Amino acid sequence: GRGGPGGRGGGQAATPPTPPMQRAAADTTPIKSRDEWKRKVMALVDEWLELKSEEEAELTFTELRPRGKPGEAADNMVEFALEKVMENCKNDGERLGVAQLLIIMINSGNLAPVNFDGPVYMSAVEYLSDLVIDIPTIFSNLAIVLAELIKIDVVELPKLRAQCEKAPWFAEDKSPAVKLFEAITAKLKAISATSDQIGNAQTITVQMAGM
């Protein structure tokens, strides 16, 4: 009979090579609760901080997206990533890592500036005066990420100011807003943002302090 590799006389047919990364079939069950979104996003962020694999992070996010309404995965990604930055990161290196992940997601088209509007307010600005009681470093924690996003024009300074001014604490105590913008100004200088961005942040800080 015909011998040789793959021929009938050649013994067992060769098994196809195993792909290097075997992923389980994606779960397509709709995500219904904020708690579940939080768990999924925190797991994605933790995996990123451990592996620093852009491919894995984007793949995981792509699998989450169809499990929610349009835009829901992106909004939750920003909100809970910021929550981690404020409350659960071990150090500034991890906070910068979360900023890098958000920027990767922006550059790949998974996140857009619109996904930062509501989540920045809901996760950070709305409860800033309460958060500072439990997390004294909240302003510098947030500034590490917000400055990176301001530098690439994803978060806009005037919009962030407007969010502070509509926060429930602002009428009684403007100091959280002033301290946040002071921290953002310092970080913008540290990461060589444009002179316009630094100047605008400084101007807002002075104006708020004088209100």
Side-chain angles (χ1 to χ4, degrees):
R2 286 176 298 163
R8 287 179 181 242
Q12 293 288 310
T15 52
T18 310
M21 282 287 285
Q22 285 282 23
R23 288 180 72 88
D27 186 350
T28 56
T29 320
I31 298 173
K32 296 218 171 4
S33 71
R34 278 178 58 76
D35 282 347
E36 192 180 354
W37 275 113
K38 181 174 179 174
R39 280 197 304 275
K40 297 291 185 190
V41 170
M42 292 294 189
L44 190 164
V45 174
D46 287 342
E47 181 186 58
W48 158 256
L49 291 172
E50 185 183 347
L51 303 177
K52 290 291 172 77
S53 165
E54 292 183 27
E55 188 181 357
E56 278 296 303
E58 288 181 30
L59 201 51
T60 302
F61 183 79
T62 305
E63 289 173 356
L64 284 179
R65 198 191 293 131
R67 299 178 64 187
K69 301 184 196 78
E72 194 174 12
D75 287 353
N76 281 299
M77 176 78 206
V78 175
E79 182 173 348
F80 294 123
L82 285 175
E83 191 174 306
K84 183 168 181 69
V85 161
M86 292 186 293
E87 299 177 23
N88 299 324
C89 283
K90 296 188 188 81
N91 51 47
D92 287 352
E94 281 199 355
R95 290 181 190 97
L96 194 57
V98 176
Q100 289 165 343
L101 173 61
L102 291 173
I103 290 166
I104 286 163
M105 292 292 185
I106 292 159
N107 290 339
S108 62
N110 284 307
L111 299 177
V114 69
N115 299 123
F116 288 79
D117 294 348
V120 167
Y121 181 75
M122 286 185 291
S123 65
V125 175
E126 187 173 11
Y127 303 109
L128 203 51
S129 63
D130 294 331
L131 289 165
V132 72
I133 297 165
D134 297 321
I135 313 164
T137 56
I138 188 86
F139 304 111
S140 62
N141 292 2
L142 266 175
I144 288 169
V145 176
L146 291 178
E148 296 286 348
L149 297 170
I150 289 161
K151 186 180 179 182
I152 60 169
D153 298 320
V154 168
V155 170
E156 297 170 10
L157 285 163
K159 198 171 279 184
L160 189 59
R161 174 188 185 155
Q163 290 185 330
C164 286
E165 290 176 352
K166 79 169 186 179
W169 44 263
F170 188 80
E172 286 184 21
D173 181 12
K174 302 186 176 43
S175 67
V178 174
K179 288 173 183 168
L180 178 62
F181 273 89
E182 281 174 346
I184 287 170
T185 304
K187 285 285 181 262
L188 287 171
K189 289 177 180 174
I191 62 172
S192 305
T194 68
S195 54
D196 278 353
Q197 289 168 333
I198 295 165
N200 289 342
Q202 283 174 321
T203 301
I204 291 171
T205 309
V206 171
Q207 287 172 346
M208 280 185 163
M211 284 174 83

